[in-house]
Each structure stands twice: as C-alpha cells, then as structure tokens.
Amino acid sequence: MEPFWLAPLLASVLNAPVLVQLNVAMLLEFPAVDAREVAAWWGLFRAMFAAPGTAAAVTSLFLQAQALEQCGRRFVYAPLLGLHTRAKAESPAPRREVMVHRSDDSFAQEGYARLLRRFAALWGRRAPQLAPRFVFIGQEDRPSFSEQAQYRALVVFPRQPHEVKLADAFAMELVTFVPDEPLAHRFVWPFARPFGFWTREADHRAAMWGRSPWRAAAPDCEPRAPARALDGMPLMLEPNASLSLASLAVQRFWWPWTEWAVLLQAGVQGFVSAPDLLVQLARLGSTEASAIQVRMRRAQVQRRHRTLRWWRRAAGAACHQMRRKSGGGK
C-alpha cells in the first residue's frame, strides 16, 4: 500500500488512468514542504482527474469529508473488506480467552489494559465462573488470522479514525468489542497523525493540510457524508492550529463518520467502561455470539457489494479509455 501523493506523479509518468483507494490523508508522508512544490503537486492532482478513466475511492466517511474539504471532490465510499484474512470465527469458539489487541501502543491503551487486568482479577476472586480470561497482544506479537479467529472475542483499542485491524476482524466475523462514546474519544484522536492531525512542525502541517486551488464541485455524491464545513459543520483542517480536533464538541461531531461508529451499527459491540465490558463478556454465550456474527455477515455482504461495484465500474471505465487511446475502439 503506497502513499496517495505518489498517484498524481505516477499518472503523469504513465499518461494513463489511475485507480486509487485512499486509506489515509492525501498528503501523508509528502516529502516536500515548500509551498511551490505543494502547489505543483496540486497541479498534477488536477491533471490526473482531468484524464478520463481516473477514479478514486475512500475507505471511510471521515476521510471522504476530509478529502472533500481539501480538494472539493467527494470520493466514493468503498470500505475495506479484509479479503486477505481468509479465516472465519466459529461459534462456539475453540478458545475461551478474549484477545486484547494493541495493549501497549500508547499511554491510553497501556493504562486501560492495566485497568482491565485489575478489574478482571477482582472479578475473578468474586465470581470466577464469570471472569473473562484476557490474552493481551502487544506491538511485538503477530498472531496469524487463523489464530485470531480461534478466540472467543476481540477487544480493540482504537488509535485513529479508521484502522485496517477493525476491517479484518469484521471480515472474520470475530465478535469485537471497541470503546463507544464518550470513552472512544480518549483513544481515537490523540494519535491520528495518518489523517493529518497532531503534526507539530508548521511546514509539514501546512503541506498536509493544503487545499487545492481548483476545488471543483464534487462529482460523486454520498448523501450521508457531510458536504462542507458550513452551516454549523466545523472545519476539520484549520490552517493555523495543530489541535483542530481538541474540542470535545468537534470530536463528537466527526465521530459518526469514523469506521468505528459505522461498524458499531453493524454488529461490532461497544463498551463505555471496564465494568461494562466485563458484564457484556460474561453474558456472551454461543447463542449471543452467533446472533452477532449473523449481523456482521449481513453487513459485510452490503459492504462487499459497495466496494466491488466501485472497482468493477472504475476498472471498466479505465480499460475502456485505454482501449480508445490505443485505437482499439470498443
């Protein structure tokens, strides 16, 4: 998976349509910070989309709104499908443990993992038959997808508005618990650098948050996504502030557009505190797990249809343009 900023350069070299599925901020890892070079990149960006057959999609509604604010184009929402996992969770699960993913990536995650350990130990002394057995997975651990699918459930602490890990677990139909509001805000925003936030260097921030001089009308409409930062909608990218999401009100506004919130409506389970999580895990039997997996499976069918439909149409249009360019006609 290459950074998006390479796409306009590649299109200019190949002189051919380009298909892009955008998963992070458009200018993430852009190597230049000079304003003239950033402006030149936006020129290549404009030329890329002027070429017939070029198409772009985003993997989250949050990123769709961010890209719209920067370039005036509303890219189609085509979520990640986790097709590479090739594993499915079973019910009842072969293992009774609950896997806690990313328990030591940040202070917030490490601190909450310690809290879970304490509550689980306390519950184990009072009601050992109900206490969950946690397996904490750190940065150095790399369990395979087939190994992950063996667990009874998964707990994921977020780190940014959208992560591949969540899409993978959803594709495996692994019963997944994630923080819901208001607890989620403790995890989602502080380390959202791949989406352009919390970059301390002013020149890098100016480059990542740059706006196209040619902010055209968006060609692909998604009625659920916020159109622009108008009529009470807060600006996502404020040019003079590194803490554009520091306000809880702004965080709560953008929360529904994250994949965490979207998948919480599709079968992912939310918790608002450590005791709440323990109670839900105690009530999670094979019948409840099967019902959750059915919801996830149905939602995944819709997500798969949406994404594959975009790829079929985009690839078909690109191939058609290539044939016309080569003189092959239809």
Side-chain angles (χ1 to χ4, degrees):
M1 188 176 293
E2 301 297 333
F4 175 78
W5 66 263
L6 285 172
L9 281 69
L10 182 63
S12 67
V13 172
L14 297 178
N15 193 25
V18 175
L19 305 182
V20 183
Q21 192 174 24
L22 189 60
N23 195 46
V24 292
M26 288 193 291
L27 283 162
L28 179 68
E29 298 181 1
F30 188 64
V33 295
D34 182 82
R36 290 172 298 180
E37 296 187 45
V38 176
W41 183 88
W42 281 115
L44 293 175
F45 176 90
R46 182 192 185 198
M48 178 177 73
F49 282 98
T54 291
V58 291
T59 56
S60 71
L61 294 173
F62 181 86
L63 189 56
Q64 183 190 61
Q66 186 184 70
L68 175 62
E69 189 173 319
Q70 285 191 275
C71 69
R73 289 179 174 271
R74 186 182 288 115
F75 298 133
V76 171
Y77 169 49
L80 293 178
L81 300 178
L83 299 179
H84 58 282
T85 59
R86 305 184 68 178
K88 291 292 182 183
E90 302 176 18
S91 183
R95 298 184 60 168
R96 301 306 300 160
E97 298 95 337
V98 175
M99 182 170 66
V100 181
H101 177 69
R102 191 181 291 133
S103 59
D104 60 355
D105 266 15
S106 69
F107 175 79
Q109 294 157 349
E110 185 177 357
Y112 214 83
R114 288 200 301 267
L115 184 65
L116 281 183
R117 288 188 177 96
R118 291 191 177 185
F119 270 95
L122 178 62
W123 201 329
R125 291 193 294 269
R126 301 290 181 86
Q129 71 279 9
L130 298 178
R133 289 179 290 170
F134 289 119
V135 175
F136 293 89
I137 304 298
Q139 297 184 55
E140 303 301 322
D141 301 311
R142 296 289 187 272
S144 67
F145 293 120
S146 59
E147 291 172 334
Q148 296 175 43
Q150 302 294 309
Y151 285 91
R152 176 184 170 213
L154 169 69
V155 177
V156 182
F157 299 132
R159 190 172 57 181
Q160 54 200 34
H162 171 50
E163 299 182 47
V164 176
K165 177 64 182 178
L166 182 63
D168 290 345
F170 197 82
M172 291 191 291
E173 299 174 10
L174 179 56
V175 177
T176 303
F177 291 84
V178 303
D180 201 347
E181 282 199 290
L183 178 62
H185 300 300
R186 180 68 181 89
F187 299 94
V188 172
W189 310 112
F191 299 93
R193 186 179 178 278
F195 289 80
F197 303 107
W198 320 110
T199 303
R200 295 180 179 179
E201 298 81 2
D203 49 0
H204 285 87
R205 188 165 65 244
M208 286 187 66
W209 293 4
R211 289 179 172 83
S212 169
W214 304 278
R215 294 173 65 188
D220 300 307
C221 292
E222 282 286 338
R224 289 184 57 199
R228 297 184 187 279
L230 298 175
D231 301 324
M233 293 180 180
L235 279 170
M236 188 183 298
L237 305 174
E238 297 178 5
N240 298 318
S242 62
L243 304 180
S244 56
L245 288 177
S247 164
L248 179 59
V250 176
Q251 292 175 0
R252 296 197 67 182
F253 177 88
W254 288 116
W255 165 252
W257 312 111
T258 68
E259 282 295 278
W260 304 97
V262 169
L263 291 182
L264 276 168
Q265 304 299 316
V268 170
Q269 305 298 295
F271 63 92
V272 296
S273 66
D276 179 34
L277 173 61
L278 294 179
V279 169
Q280 292 191 57
L281 288 173
R283 294 173 176 171
L284 182 66
S286 58
T287 301
E288 291 76 13
S290 296
I292 292 171
Q293 289 172 328
V294 168
R295 285 189 62 196
M296 298 170 75
R297 190 176 307 128
R298 290 173 178 170
Q300 183 71 352
V301 169
Q302 297 176 354
R303 290 165 65 85
R304 183 187 180 102
H305 176 72
R306 171 188 284 271
T307 297
L308 295 184
R309 178 180 59 185
W310 178 80
W311 276 108
R312 282 193 295 266
R313 291 179 177 178
C319 290
H320 175 69
Q321 291 300 325
M322 292 294 291
R323 286 195 296 268
R324 289 188 60 184
K325 188 174 181 179
S326 63
K330 295 184 179 180

